[in-house]
Amino acid sequence: MASRTRCDQVPYEVYKENKEAYSFPTAKVAGPRPEVASNIIYRVPVSHPAGEVDVQVYVPTSEAISSGGLASSEGRLPALINFHGGGFVIGDLNSDKPLVRQLCQGAGCVVVNADYRTAPEFPHPTPVLDSWDVLKWVFAKADELNIDASRIAHGTIPPFPPLKLQILIVPLVDVRYIPVEGSCKEGPYESYVSNEFAPMLPLSRLVWFYNYWLGTGPDRIEKAEDFRASPLLAKSHENLAPSSIRAAEVDPLVSEAKAYHEKLLVAGTQSKIKIYKGQGHTFPQWDGLNPGSKEFVQDCINDLKEAFKL
């Protein structure tokens, strides 16, 4: 596949004018997009600042529901709420389309895919607060969406009992040590150094993301130390939903994923971590060709079935 200029190698304004030209052609390596029973887009109100975001609700087919065996006696289904990646700068409802369709059909659960607002137009903390509003919306609309509110999982950090599971996919959990420019010269995370030039997510790409998301001004440190940006810094990690951390070996973020796993265990929160050998940061989207990515998708399906079982 021919090389191309990445989004982080040009100013955001240039990227925004022609996003496709600076984006990896994920569709060429992505896995199947199975048919679902429905995938309706809702406009959901958000608060910080006031506005609306798109939320796409995927419902599995009757065959998938029967095969999954997760429907309650009233016919209610468990739900996964998905928040796409992209450094809080890029990404949309299409980013995880193959994955969310496979999880919906593979586990036989509802998947709620959220298109939170992103930087630089909406820097921290808007993306996480949008996600929080979506999470609350799902609970409020559970009856209307035929969701069993006692069986909801999510793919992000903020706690909202009674969540059954958090699947953290190549997560960032401590953003204090990414510099405004250059290499990482301090901090506890070895992978920032050993994986500085990792394919798909070199350190320079993290710098680009964080500079738009957190800014480069005098309040950068304060924003980075906010637990909503760095969940590792939360005052308590007790009583959170059980965590399944899915990390990539060739990724600057793998060291902090390990640190977060240990933090959860010390706090008494259930956590497991799997580091996929030889894989880079974006490998979850490559399951059309990559055996490790296919394994990841099946692992997530197994996670959901185990968390949602009656």
Side-chain angles (χ1 to χ4, degrees), residues 15 23-24 26-27 30 33 56 58 82-86 89-100 113-116 118 282 284-287:
Y15 160 72
S23 301
F24 184 84
T26 303
R33 304 184 181 199
Q56 192 163 16
Y58 289 84
N82 180 69
F83 302 95
H84 66 78
V89 178
I90 65 176
D92 54 32
L93 288 181
N94 292 319
S95 299
D96 292 339
K97 184 178 290 186
L99 176 62
V100 297
N113 193 25
D115 191 20
Y116 54 86
T118 54
T282 58
Q285 298 178 318
W286 295 20
D287 61 306

Side-chain angles (χ1 to χ4, degrees), residues 226-297:
D226 179 354
F227 81 95
R228 295 171 299 182
S230 295
L232 190 80
L233 304 182
K235 291 181 179 180
S236 174
H237 294 85
E238 297 178 353
N239 301 316
L240 299 181
S243 175
S244 176
I245 300 174
R246 303 287 167 184
E249 182 184 33
V250 189
D251 185 349
L253 300 178
V254 65
S255 291
E256 61 187 84
K258 295 176 187 176
Y260 192 67
H261 168 66
E262 294 298 328
K263 177 76 75 170
L264 293 176
L265 293 180
V266 169
T269 293
Q270 294 181 44
S271 181
K272 63 180 181 180
I273 186 170
K274 181 171 181 177
I275 299 171
Y276 294 79
K277 300 297 182 183
Q279 302 298 326
H281 183 79
T282 58
F283 87 101
Q285 298 178 318
W286 295 20
D287 61 306
L289 298 176
N290 184 358
S293 307
K294 296 176 188 291
E295 179 183 348
F296 159 80
V297 172

Side-chain angles (χ1 to χ4, degrees), residues 33-44 53-60 79-84 92-98 100-101 104 109-116 134 137-138 145 147:
R33 304 184 181 199
E35 290 297 322
V36 296
S38 63
N39 56 312
I40 298 172
I41 295 178
Y42 297 82
R43 293 291 290 169
V44 174
V53 297
D54 285 339
V55 170
Q56 192 163 16
V57 179
Y58 289 84
V59 177
L80 167 68
I81 307 172
N82 180 69
F83 302 95
H84 66 78
D92 54 32
L93 288 181
N94 292 319
S95 299
D96 292 339
K97 184 178 290 186
V100 297
R101 284 177 171 271
C104 177
C109 69
V110 172
V111 177
V112 179
N113 193 25
D115 191 20
Y116 54 86
V134 169
W137 178 84
V138 172
L145 298 173
I147 288 173

Side-chain angles (χ1 to χ4, degrees), residues 176-242:
R176 292 174 293 173
Y177 302 105
I178 297 297
V180 171
E181 60 182 356
S183 300
C184 185
K185 297 181 174 62
E186 61 178 23
Y189 301 126
E190 181 275 336
S191 57
Y192 285 180
V193 177
S194 62
N195 290 328
E196 178 176 358
F197 302 104
M200 304 312 299
L201 189 68
L203 189 75
S204 60
R205 188 171 172 88
L206 282 174
V207 168
W208 190 83
F209 284 140
Y210 289 14
N211 284 353
Y212 286 117
W213 170 49
L214 299 174
T216 58
D219 60 348
R220 165 73 171 249
I221 295 175
E222 180 182 356
K223 289 181 178 179
E225 291 178 347
D226 179 354
F227 81 95
R228 295 171 299 182
S230 295
L232 190 80
L233 304 182
K235 291 181 179 180
S236 174
H237 294 85
E238 297 178 353
N239 301 316
L240 299 181

Side-chain angles (χ1 to χ4, degrees), residues 70-77 143 146-151 310:
L70 298 178
S72 69
S73 57
E74 297 82 17
R76 295 289 179 87
L77 294 175
D143 289 347
N146 196 37
I147 288 173
D148 180 351
S150 70
R151 291 184 295 156
L310 294 165

Side-chain angles (χ1 to χ4, degrees), residues 124-135:
H124 177 77
T126 293
V128 71
L129 293 176
D130 281 358
S131 301
W132 180 249
D133 283 340
V134 169
L135 187 58

